[in-house]
Amino acid sequence: MASSTSMKNQILPISDSSRSGDESLFKGSAMTKRGAFAAIFYMICAVLLVMFNKAALSSYSFPCANVITLFQMICSTSILYAMRRWKMISFTVVESRSVSDNSATLVPVKTLVHTLPLAISYLLYMLASMESVRGVNVPMYTTLRRTTVVFTMIVEYLLTGQKYTSPVVGSVGLIVFGAFIAGSRDLSYDSYGYAIVFISNITTAIYLATISRIGKSSGLNSFGLMWCNGLICGPILLFWTFIRGDLEMTLNFPHLYSPGFQAVMLLSCILAFFLNYSVFLNTTLNSALTQTMCGNLKDLFTVGLGWLLFRGLPFDLLNVVGQMLGFIGSGLYAYCKLKGK
């Protein structure tokens, strides 16, 4: 029975980066094939999720970003519970026999307490990220989000003492410089929206650094970390939306029963599950900074789709130059990562 369960647990990848069969992309590479696939998977999910969230908040003018986050969390937790009960996945790197399927939490209570800082940082990250999409157009949103790399480097240094080489620091500087050039014509657009985006950058950096730190010490894989986040953050977010009146506002939303809006919400929830999984997988297999850089590389597609679907900031010469500098900086970092520098 144990061997059967072990075989089924290999159906989906987990975040155990110690597997000996995972070879580097080429000799001297610091990124494995599995890590590269995780990075690409994250970028695809992130682009699509931003589009659907923007559609719900802007195109349908849905007023409750917190409710979208709550729905996404409920959906993710339900999927994880079903997959765990059907033995499709495990929650730990090495499945523990001491935790039965009949357990209320499916993980030890001690492990839940250990992941509490991660859950809190995740909740702040989700709320800030969702709210930041509302007030800023998609091209400008992606431009401002690129400054997250600086916050990530600072937080990693404070938490783990991580230092980076000159080429990596130079690539980060190029990205930030390009972001300022791209946004130079839109600095007076929305002070509140800009402030929320920068708060989102800070919470993102803390969240990713916490994944890298706690994910390796908790004994949980990507699915287990997501499960603990849902158990801890779900009730807190439900209580918060209730006292704010967001649930009542949602019930009175005029497009609530619109097939188009319901389709957008459903796809947003499903994509949020895959995005959360890919974030944990990419961060634990690679690093918090690599995860942030992947966010910059996928911005090319986000900017293009956002401009086509939602319009917004015109692409003048400064904007194009700034965007290209950011992509060049991200490409430089990717090259350094692959070369193992």
Side-chain angles (χ1 to χ4, degrees), residues 12-332:
L12 292 175
I14 58 178
S15 61
D16 183 8
S17 58
S18 63
R19 295 179 63 178
S20 59
D22 196 9
E23 299 178 351
S24 298
L25 289 175
F26 49 82
K27 189 175 181 180
S29 172
M31 179 179 284
T32 61
K33 291 181 180 180
R34 195 156 173 253
F37 289 142
I40 295 172
F41 180 51
Y42 159 75
M43 288 187 279
I44 294 174
C45 293
V47 171
L48 294 176
L49 184 60
V50 169
M51 295 299 108
F52 283 109
N53 286 344
K54 186 67 177 178
L57 294 171
S58 297
S59 299
Y60 285 97
S61 300
F62 186 64
C64 305
N66 294 341
V67 173
I68 295 181
T69 305
L70 177 63
F71 286 165
Q72 291 174 347
M73 194 171 296
I74 293 174
C75 179
S76 295
T77 305
S78 300
I79 293 174
L80 287 171
Y81 180 80
M83 294 173 69
R84 177 62 180 81
R85 292 303 299 268
W86 293 338
K87 306 295 185 181
M88 295 174 64
I89 61 173
S90 66
F91 285 163
T92 56
V93 175
V94 179
E95 183 67 11
S96 174
R97 297 182 181 181
S98 61
V99 182
S100 66
D101 290 346
N102 295 326
S103 172
T105 61
L106 297 182
V107 293
V109 176
K110 183 179 180 180
T111 303
L112 276 178
V113 175
H114 182 71
T115 60
L116 186 59
L118 177 60
I120 294 175
S121 63
Y122 169 79
L123 185 61
L124 295 176
Y125 153 74
M126 287 293 293
L127 294 177
S129 297
M130 186 66 68
E131 185 64 25
S132 65
V133 177
R134 182 194 305 274
V136 182
N137 55 67
V138 171
M140 203 60 225
Y141 168 78
T142 55
T143 298
L144 293 175
R145 287 287 283 169
R146 284 185 202 149
T147 60
T148 304
V149 293
V150 178
F151 296 104
T152 302
M153 293 181 72
I154 294 174
V155 172
E156 277 195 315
Y157 176 76
L158 293 176
L159 291 181
T160 64
Q162 176 68 51
K163 296 181 181 180
Y164 294 96
T165 61
S166 297
V168 171
V169 175
S171 65
V172 170
L174 189 60
I175 290 172
V176 175
F177 180 64
F180 278 106
I181 291 179
S184 60
R185 294 189 184 276
D186 197 39
L187 292 179
S188 61
Y189 178 74
D190 186 347
S191 58
Y192 172 78
Y194 276 49
I196 292 297
V197 172
F198 281 113
I199 292 175
S200 177
N201 291 347
I202 296 173
T203 58
T204 300
I206 296 174
Y207 172 56
L208 295 179
T210 308
I211 290 177
S212 183
R213 187 176 184 181
I214 294 182
K216 297 174 182 178
S217 62
S218 64
L220 298 173
N221 59 30
S222 301
F223 295 118
L225 293 172
M226 290 172 61
W227 173 257
C228 291
N229 278 344
L231 288 185
I232 297 173
C233 298
I236 297 176
L237 188 56
L238 178 62
F239 177 74
W240 177 250
T241 54
F242 176 76
I243 64 175
R244 279 174 54 92
D246 290 343
L247 294 179
E248 182 179 358
M249 194 179 303
T250 300
L251 293 176
N252 296 326
F253 183 60
H255 299 292
L256 181 61
Y257 299 104
S258 168
F261 176 75
Q262 291 180 349
V264 167
M265 289 292 294
L266 177 61
L267 291 173
S268 175
C269 291
I270 295 174
L271 283 170
F273 169 78
F274 287 111
L275 179 65
N276 289 335
Y277 170 65
S278 65
V279 168
F280 283 114
L281 191 65
N282 191 27
T283 304
T284 52
L285 288 178
N286 297 307
S287 69
L289 185 61
T290 299
Q291 165 62 28
T292 305
M293 285 295 186
C294 288
N296 291 324
L297 286 173
K298 57 86 179 171
D299 285 346
L300 173 62
F301 305 100
T302 306
V303 169
L305 286 175
W307 185 79
L308 291 174
L309 297 177
F310 305 106
R311 299 299 175 179
L313 183 66
F315 274 42
D316 58 19
L317 180 60
L318 285 179
N319 198 298
V320 173
V321 171
Q323 300 284 359
M324 291 307 300
L325 287 176
F327 298 138
I328 292 172
S330 298
L332 177 60

